[in-house]
Amino acid sequence: MSIRPLHLLIFILILAACKSLSKKDQPMQPNNAVKIKPSTEMPIPSLPMTGDYADDWKIVDSLERVGLFKSALEKVEAIGARAKNDKNSQQTVKALLFRGKYITQLEEDGLTKAINLMEAEAKTARQPEKSVLQSLLGQLYSTYLQSQGWNLQQRTPIPDGEGGDILTWSAAQVERHALELYVASVSQDALLQSIPMEQFRDITTPSANDTVDNKALRSTLFDLMAHRALEHFSNDRNYLTEPAYAFKLDQEVAFGDVAEFVAAKFETRDSTSGKWLAIKTLQRIVALQMPAQRGPGGAALVDAELARLQFALNNSTLENKNSLYQKALEKLQRTYSNKANNAEIVHALASHLYSLDTGDKGKNAIAAAGMLEDVILAMVESSIREKDYPYGVKLCARLLRQIQQPIITTNVEQANLPDKSILVQVGFRNVKKIWVKLVKDDFDPTKWNRRDGEDQFKILNSRKPLSSKTWEIQDPGDYQDHKTEIALDSLPFGHYWLFVSNNAAFDAKNGPVTYSDFAVSNIAAVSYNEAGQTEFVRADRNSGAPLPDVKLDFFQNDYNSGRQRLTNAGSATSNRDGFAKGNIPQNISVQVRASIGNDTLWIGN
């Protein structure tokens, strides 16, 4: 299932160690700008100019823009003090986040100090900011583990405990603490459910897909906190804290009806298991969206159910989990066919069918494409333009393009015999006709090595073809990969480029174009090493008989000029038995060109 962008808390701490900066304010100038190492995967968003204390935040923004981080920190601290006095939860959290950001930028070991600052504030904070800070701290520890994981895993565990300093913690301790924080962040169910997301508008950024039919999918603070916790519990780092008796999701009820799932008992001896915490959190999320709780089951319930079923599919140990998942989605689609995000159910079902690697793979792909086409057709008939499609329909359109995309691959022998037809293996999907052309050109590495693949393609594709032909392809229309063979007419000695496309113009904008090179030569070559000396054997490619008087030219790569070029590194000629000594210095790489008469073959390194 594609992940829907949700409300994202503005988490703006720099999440990896930065070099200490001068604590003295200095305006950012072109020649002496304060440079901050970008060390987080999360972009730092622009400050919101609306909401509470907007004029104060505009000042912070202006100070940051000119590099006056210390002054910006002082202003943020003043905003934080005011917010606490006003009992303004969201502004208290926002000021704390920006304090952490500037401390990380300004001080040695700033990241550790920022974490300690947030820890101290979280311990004394009142609800609901306490839950928000716990969630943010969990994210911070998780990101710290992501960026520092290798270093953390090299640490030797401390027998007497790891203490309160993150600099001494093992990876398992960091992950364990992140889990504890996320668990705590959703412990106040009733309180968090009573707080509308609107109360935290100043520290959230809306997404275009947060609403369905103008109704928010995350309408309360609990909705947001629970989904953030779920995302962490579902990650792949839970192995760090798994005991031998790790929780296993082996119950079919994980795919069951809403009521059955919510009432199910998932027992475990490992109460810190991320997977167990995830399934328990999903039960709470789904339960809150059940019809008895919030009126008729709506879009938020569909969203929660899709998340639940996808988690069950990803983590279940049952052998029949694919069929359970498919049946559950089919029932979900029938039940909520009139919901605005029903297209998301169709997308999940079609994605699953298309991915199944079974004997009915072709039938599954046809069924998936049919469902997706029906969704798109309904939009077209409603005169809705593609750019205005709802989120789920956009997902369906993207998957349909992927399923229907034409694909061509080719495979041809690197060297072929003259005056004999040449077989080419063609792989294809969703292609009924191919255009084939041949271009002849000398294969000179000094000529082609200076050009990238795109440039080389343009030059060769613009050449007048030596020959061209079309083939009808027997495509069964099952959206699957297939292979066939075509035979090229015999060719004289030389080097050739084979182009194959689904359009006569060989235009990559209008479909796939593949090209590959091959040689036509009577020379066969074998190299081997004997007593530190490279030796070569030359033979007739057709009969295998020794091939005398074949000249070998050796070329060494030279990068001293700033670009790759080949310099001559010697030559040799094969004797009557086809043998030739390379006379190549040891431990160097060379390219070898073999030639006799008008027959030339480059044989690689």
Side-chain angles (χ1 to χ4, degrees), residues 101 105 114 147 203 209 247 345 352 445 532 585 589 598:
K101 171 188 175 181
Q105 291 175 329
S147 61
I203 59 169
N209 303 308
F247 170 73
I345 308 176
H352 181 65
S589 176
N598 62 345

Side-chain angles (χ1 to χ4, degrees), residues 404-426:
Q404 295 179 337
Q405 180 183 13
I407 294 175
I408 295 175
T409 61
T410 56
N411 189 12
V412 60
E413 290 286 350
Q414 187 178 6
N416 296 271
L417 287 168
D419 303 322
K420 290 192 175 182
S421 59
I422 299 168
L423 288 178
V424 179
Q425 184 186 74
V426 178

Side-chain angles (χ1 to χ4, degrees), residues 81 94 106 121 160 176 223 227 230 253 265 304 326 351 403 435 441 464 504 528 582 596:
K94 181 176 179 179
L106 290 167
E121 291 287 342
D160 296 330
R176 190 158 43 244
D223 292 329
H227 278 275
L230 175 62
V253 71
K265 301 293 184 183
Q326 181 176 337
S351 297
I403 293 174
W435 281 257
D441 202 310
K464 182 179 180 180
Y528 62 96
I596 180 171

Side-chain angles (χ1 to χ4, degrees), residues 233-245:
F233 296 151
S234 304
N235 71 41
D236 294 328
R237 292 189 301 279
N238 293 312
Y239 68 89
L240 292 168
T241 59
E242 276 188 354
Y245 46 85

Side-chain angles (χ1 to χ4, degrees), residues 63-181:
L63 291 170
E64 180 177 322
R65 287 178 184 274
V66 295
L68 300 178
F69 303 113
K70 190 170 183 294
S71 293
L73 174 59
E74 292 170 354
K75 183 63 179 176
V76 167
E77 288 172 339
I79 295 173
R82 178 184 170 191
K84 277 191 174 182
N85 186 62
D86 294 345
K87 295 182 174 55
N88 189 322
S89 297
Q90 62 175 336
Q91 289 295 322
T92 299
V93 173
K94 181 176 179 179
L96 181 59
L97 292 177
F98 275 83
R99 283 177 65 192
K101 171 188 175 181
Y102 295 135
I103 288 172
T104 303
Q105 291 175 329
L106 290 167
E107 298 191 27
E108 191 76 34
D109 293 328
L111 176 63
T112 304
K113 293 177 180 178
I115 291 175
N116 291 337
L117 170 66
M118 287 191 67
E119 284 278 12
E121 291 287 342
K123 288 176 181 177
T124 60
R126 297 177 302 176
Q127 291 292 1
E129 60 260 35
K130 186 180 187 72
S131 292
V132 174
L133 289 176
Q134 288 168 332
S135 181
L136 289 171
L137 267 169
Q139 182 183 359
L140 179 54
Y141 280 110
S142 177
T143 308
Y144 176 79
L145 178 59
Q146 224 173 351
S147 61
Q148 300 294 322
W150 173 254
N151 293 329
L152 295 177
Q153 290 180 39
Q154 307 310 306
R155 291 178 181 172
T156 302
I158 301 173
D160 296 330
E162 299 180 351
D165 190 347
I166 190 175
L167 295 176
T168 67
W169 286 4
S170 65
Q173 172 66 3
V174 176
E175 172 61 19
R176 190 158 43 244
H177 191 50
L179 282 171
E180 292 169 352
L181 286 162

